[in-house]
Amino acid sequence: MAHLTVRLHALRTSETISMEPSTGKAPGPKNLEIEGSQLTDRPVHYARAKEDAMYRSILSGEKPTVEDDFSATVKSAMESVVSSDENSILVEKFYLAYKFRSQFPWLIESGKLPEEDSGLTGAFRYALSSYVAAYEPKKHFENEISEGLSLPVDLLKESISRAIDDRVALAQFSNALARQSLYAKDAEVDSLVPHIRRALVRYCERRESGTTPDPW
């Protein structure tokens, strides 16, 4: 029987992956030498190789592999940001962007999709998975005036804990960092905080993304 061929545009590669129609599964991940010095010295190639391995594992029904130390570091960095008075206006804007997006039932922030972790957890997942490390924020919230919103810090931290359990979002965040030569094995809380801040700013700037049911 002919194979069903699927092209993954997200891989940014011309490679196609064949899937058996009887099983609907892709072949298992290739043995990619992505930790060697040849690729780690070239961040873009390293990140693309990691993306290739990640999407192959997803198509094979497996969850991407993310180091527990990296998960814990990202969690600590995110909690540091939402707990800091320095970032209070940014977190307030992030929460308001989440509340705005939660009005649309087709967005994960609405809590009305079948995903187990939607709502505010979905907002954090989206911020991590859509992050671009080379992104330069258009907005700076340091000098903006607070709207006096009482932030549910405990709920924010609880949602962060659940968002970190999403291995796909975490792997995508790790890949974005690798493109800027910050690798998961070297990540520390202090080095991640600026990236978490920019991820939240980017989420705020894209608050209206996908808010129309028919983008065409």
Side-chain angles (χ1 to χ4, degrees):
M1 294 179 66
H3 286 171
L4 173 66
T5 300
V6 178
R7 187 178 298 277
L8 295 178
H9 296 286
L11 299 181
R12 300 183 181 89
T13 177
S14 60
E15 181 185 4
T16 58
I17 297 178
S18 297
M19 300 175 65
E20 294 287 349
S22 59
T23 63
K25 294 184 178 181
K30 292 181 179 178
N31 293 323
L32 297 173
E33 297 296 332
I34 62 177
E35 299 295 342
S37 59
Q38 181 179 2
L39 287 179
T40 55
D41 289 340
R42 302 168 64 185
V44 172
H45 294 287
Y46 174 83
R48 286 179 179 173
K50 288 189 66 180
E51 288 170 0
D52 193 356
M54 178 182 71
Y55 284 108
R56 285 179 179 278
S57 69
I58 293 171
L59 286 175
S60 301
E62 303 172 1
K63 291 185 177 181
T65 301
V66 180
E67 295 293 336
D68 290 339
D69 287 348
F70 180 67
S71 301
T73 305
V74 174
K75 180 175 181 288
S76 296
M78 294 179 74
E79 289 180 342
S80 173
V81 169
V82 302
S83 301
S84 170
D85 290 338
E86 177 186 357
N87 298 307
S88 59
I89 293 180
L90 169 58
V91 178
E92 179 184 78
K93 300 299 182 184
F94 170 81
Y95 189 73
L96 289 173
Y98 149 69
K99 294 295 287 184
F100 172 78
R101 292 175 62 81
S102 68
Q103 302 174 81
F104 303 94
W106 55 85
L107 297 181
I108 193 170
E109 289 92 339
S110 69
K112 297 179 180 179
L113 298 183
E115 280 87 347
E116 181 178 351
D117 290 323
S118 56
L120 185 54
T121 298
F124 281 117
R125 286 169 54 191
Y126 181 40
L128 289 174
S129 64
S130 63
Y131 180 56
V132 178
Y135 161 76
E136 290 296 333
K138 298 177 182 177
K139 295 182 179 180
H140 299 278
F141 297 104
E142 289 82 356
N143 298 323
E144 292 201 13
I145 299 175
S146 171
E147 298 188 27
L149 183 67
S150 179
L151 292 172
V153 176
D154 289 342
L155 177 60
L156 288 166
K157 289 184 177 181
E158 180 183 340
S159 298
I160 287 171
S161 295
R162 291 201 301 267
I164 294 301
D165 289 337
D166 184 344
R167 295 302 192 188
V168 174
L170 207 57
Q172 289 172 321
F173 182 62
S174 174
N175 292 343
L177 297 175
R179 287 177 175 273
Q180 294 297 307
S181 301
L182 177 57
Y183 306 110
K185 62 184 179 62
D186 300 322
E188 298 180 355
V189 172
D190 289 345
S191 63
L192 286 183
V193 163
H195 293 281
I196 298 298
R197 283 176 48 84
R198 287 201 291 271
L200 298 188
V201 172
R202 189 167 189 266
Y203 179 90
C204 294
E205 293 183 348
R206 303 180 71 214
R207 59 177 281 165
E208 296 186 10
S209 175
T211 55
T212 56
D214 184 1
W216 309 109

